[in-house]
Amino acid sequence: MTDARRPGLFLSFEGMDGSGKTTQMRLLIDRLRAEGYDLLETAEPGGTPIGLQIRKILLDSANQELSSRAELLLYFACRAQNVDQWIRPALAEGRVVVSDRFTDSTLAYQAVGRGLGEGIVREIHRFACREVQPDLTVYLDVDREVGLARARARNQERAAAAAPDETRIDDEAAEFHDRVRAAYARLCDQEPSRIRRVDAGQSIDEVAAAIWSAVEEHIAAHSLRKATADV
Ligand code: TYD
């Protein structure tokens, strides 16, 4: 929902493993910066220094005994900190906030993937995020096989670089990921004006162009601060 009274613009990205989310976020952020917008880049789980500590618990593959309820609350603890410390102040200042994932991830992975239910997730969202909701969410929809192939290639690169073991969710069974994908499809149907589904099977340039056209529509509806002062 676009709130034209709010000066800032809140954009989030959603997508499953291998959807090209990282690449597309980077392209959008570079373009927004090149156009002079004052930007806050953040991620869930993570973002703030406290959020990064919570992220370690959430994604550590050693934490197999982490319960679904504890996991849900940790995602929201992380998000509440991000909203209070970074996102709300940035929006109030007229900045563009770009978040790698937000509550839609919890609606897909915890509400449906873990089976905790949409009602409780929406309720905790209201408490944790205090009305903060993205104006536009880009959902990069990737075919199961394409996503898996891209993710495998990336994981091999990570293993070669001895990156930290952040695979607790990636390690879930195929049917978990199928439930998550179906949940995203439903969210797109429920909120078509906020969530823009983009076919991530297209070329990088085509995907980037589709995202930019969606973002441009929203830029016009907000009064945004430019990072460099106008002469
Ligand atoms: P991350 O390393 O950030 O990967 P990605 O590139 O997929 O965003 O891992 C985030 C993982 O956490 C990802 O598998 C999705 C999961 N997740 C949830 O289960 N619930 C949530 O609310 C969020 C934000 C993420």
Side-chain angles (χ1 to χ4, degrees):
M1 186 179 64
T2 299
D3 181 354
R5 291 163 303 170
R6 202 168 68 193
L9 175 63
F10 185 12
L11 308 172
S12 68
F13 274 75
E14 297 286 344
M16 301 192 57
D17 224 13
S19 62
K21 184 162 58 69
T22 307
T23 305
Q24 291 299 334
M25 258 191 74
R26 178 69 18 235
L27 289 171
L28 177 67
I29 284 167
D30 288 349
R31 181 149 187 191
L32 286 167
R33 286 225 164 96
E35 302 234 344
Y37 291 104
D38 191 354
L39 214 120
L40 169 71
E41 189 182 338
T42 188
E44 292 283 324
T48 66
I50 290 171
L52 287 172
Q53 295 176 57
I54 300 172
R55 176 185 169 89
K56 279 204 188 117
I57 303 171
L58 279 164
L59 300 186
D60 189 339
S61 62
N63 286 340
Q64 292 299 325
E65 72 272 35
L66 184 66
S67 83
S68 296
R69 284 161 206 271
E71 179 191 56
L72 172 67
L73 293 170
L74 284 171
Y75 277 115
F76 272 117
C78 191
R79 193 163 305 138
Q81 185 67 34
N82 204 347
V83 165
D84 287 345
Q85 189 180 346
W86 280 6
I87 298 176
R88 277 173 77 100
L91 293 173
E93 286 171 3
R95 300 173 75 192
V96 180
V97 175
V98 183
S99 184
D100 186 346
R101 300 187 179 278
F102 202 66
T103 296
D104 297 301
S105 283
T106 322
L107 285 164
Y109 289 83
Q110 278 67 49
V112 179
R114 300 274 188 239
L116 290 171
E118 194 180 319
I120 190 65
V121 172
R122 291 204 185 270
E123 206 171 306
I124 301 174
H125 166 82
R126 273 193 294 279
F127 172 73
C129 302
R130 301 193 292 154
E131 312 279 308
V132 171
Q133 182 75 328
D135 298 289
L136 170 68
T137 296
V138 173
Y139 171 55
L140 293 170
D141 192 6
V142 69
D143 196 81
R144 186 185 185 189
E145 298 312 315
V146 175
L148 273 177
R150 287 180 185 165
R152 267 194 216 110
R154 187 208 54 208
N155 288 346
Q156 270 168 9
E157 274 170 38
R158 272 194 198 164
D165 196 5
E166 284 194 342
T167 59
R168 199 179 57 86
I169 312 267
D170 296 348
D171 293 344
E172 286 292 337
E175 72 257 31
F176 174 86
H177 294 287
D178 287 344
R179 280 201 300 280
V180 170
R181 179 172 292 101
Y184 272 125
R186 262 199 313 280
L187 286 170
C188 291
D189 290 344
Q190 277 172 12
E191 292 188 68
S193 62
R194 176 175 66 85
I195 308 179
R196 182 71 60 103
R197 181 194 158 276
V198 176
D199 175 3
Q202 303 175 93
S203 72
I204 290 180
D205 287 350
E206 284 168 329
V207 174
I211 293 171
W212 184 250
S213 87
V215 170
E216 262 188 324
E217 290 169 24
H218 285 264
I219 285 176
H222 289 253
S223 73
L224 300 174
R225 195 172 86 175
K226 294 265 183 162
T228 45
D230 291 332
V231 183

